[in-house]
Amino acid sequence: YNQAIKDYSKTIELDPGLALAWNNRGIAYLQEGDYDQAIKDYSKAIELEPRSAQTFTNRGKAYSLTDQHEKAIADFTETIRLKPDDAAAWIVRGLFYFKKGDYDQAIKEYTQAIKLDPESERGWDRRGDVYIRKGDSDQAIKDYSQAIKVSPRSALIWYDRGFAYGNKGEYGQAINDYNEAIKLDKAQGWLSPGNAVIWNSRGDAYRKLGNEAKAKADFLKAKELFLKAEELEAKAKGKP
């Protein structure tokens, strides 16, 4: 990305009125982790071309990475104004409202995203997360089930539905979903190597059913995977 920054800087020097060059250099800065400079470049691109929904989306993402959530919401609002059929923008704005604790507004955002793109599992899954926070496990299960229909090979969604069943005290069904998540996780490896979270949750469900032997086995497996994940993370950071 360093070379990309140099190339786009040269383009900007030759044609400072080219909004695309500012936007693309902003993308390169974002990939380098220089979020402040990325925001400056996106802002210049917007000044030159204020009708670009994608540039508002890009700057919104940069604002979110610097914890400027209100500015991020404003940018995604502008994205939606310019491109109201952009389901992904509704989902992202919904996530910001979710983080703010405005669950009712988050549900509205995800519902609109689902109307625009009912075949995207993200809208269903995210709305299910909101219902969990609101204590409505039944509605969450309905949304997670729809997400599974759309994307049956997502370990995360099977885990989410298992968690919702556990909230209802339906531990047998929760274990069934955790089993599926574990099976898929072996192929996908989401969150962390082996994902200790799923094993720990299944262990908790077994314990609630009084099966202490299986619970203990799952907790030990979760601990093993967690320690392995920590070891891999330490190696990646160059620690002994």
Side-chain angles (χ1 to χ4, degrees):
Y1 292 104
N2 272 328
Q3 186 59 49
I5 290 170
K6 291 178 183 178
D7 290 344
Y8 288 124
S9 295
K10 184 64 176 179
T11 301
I12 289 168
E13 183 181 338
L14 295 171
D15 187 358
L18 186 61
L20 182 62
W22 289 95
N23 177 72
N24 289 349
R25 193 176 72 172
I27 292 172
Y29 275 123
L30 191 78
Q31 294 295 335
E32 285 287 309
D34 191 343
Y35 305 136
D36 291 336
Q37 187 58 52
I39 289 169
K40 290 178 182 177
D41 277 7
Y42 292 141
S43 296
K44 182 63 178 180
I46 288 168
E47 177 188 324
L48 293 168
E49 178 48 81
R51 295 170 298 175
S52 172
Q54 185 59 56
T55 308
F56 278 104
T57 294
N58 292 344
R59 192 175 68 176
K61 291 177 180 177
Y63 278 135
S64 72
L65 290 168
T66 55
D67 294 325
Q68 299 182 72
H69 298 309
E70 291 301 328
K71 288 184 177 181
I73 289 174
D75 272 0
F76 280 102
T77 298
E78 191 63 19
T79 296
I80 289 168
R81 186 186 71 80
L82 292 165
K83 194 177 179 184
D85 61 347
D86 186 347
W90 288 92
I91 288 173
V92 174
R93 194 170 70 171
L95 180 59
F96 288 122
Y97 282 117
F98 177 75
K99 288 180 177 179
K100 287 177 63 178
D102 190 344
Y103 300 138
D104 290 337
Q105 186 59 41
I107 286 172
K108 291 178 182 178
E109 302 288 315
Y110 294 138
T111 299
Q112 181 61 24
I114 289 167
K115 288 179 180 177
L116 292 169
D117 186 6
E119 294 303 308
S120 172
E121 79 280 1
R122 289 178 63 214
W124 296 104
D125 187 48
R126 294 290 192 184
R127 196 174 70 175
D129 292 344
V130 185
Y131 282 121
I132 285 290
R133 286 292 182 90
K134 285 173 67 71
D136 190 346
S137 295
D138 287 328
Q139 186 58 52
I141 288 168
K142 290 178 182 178
D143 277 1
Y144 291 142
S145 296
Q146 189 60 41
I148 287 170
K149 286 182 182 178
V150 174
S151 185
R153 295 194 58 75
S154 170
L156 174 59
I157 300 171
W158 285 96
Y159 170 79
D160 286 341
R161 194 176 72 172
F163 183 85
Y165 276 122
N167 273 356
K168 287 188 66 182
E170 297 182 18
Y171 302 118
Q173 187 59 54
I175 289 168
N176 289 339
D177 280 1
Y178 292 144
N179 288 342
E180 189 66 24
I182 287 170
K183 182 175 71 175
L184 291 167
D185 177 61
K186 288 178 179 177
Q188 298 169 7
W190 63 274
L191 285 182
S192 66
N195 194 359
V197 177
I198 309 176
W199 292 86
N200 191 73
S201 295
R202 193 176 70 173
D204 187 59
Y206 276 128
R207 175 166 284 175
K208 294 287 177 56
L209 288 175
N211 194 332
E212 196 61 35
K214 286 189 175 181
K216 183 178 180 180
D218 275 2
F219 291 145
L220 287 172
K221 182 67 174 179
K223 182 179 180 180
E224 174 194 332
L225 294 171
F226 179 74
L227 292 173
K228 180 181 178 182
E230 280 196 328
E231 179 184 343
L232 289 173
E233 184 179 355
K235 286 182 178 179
K237 291 180 178 179
K239 296 179 180 179

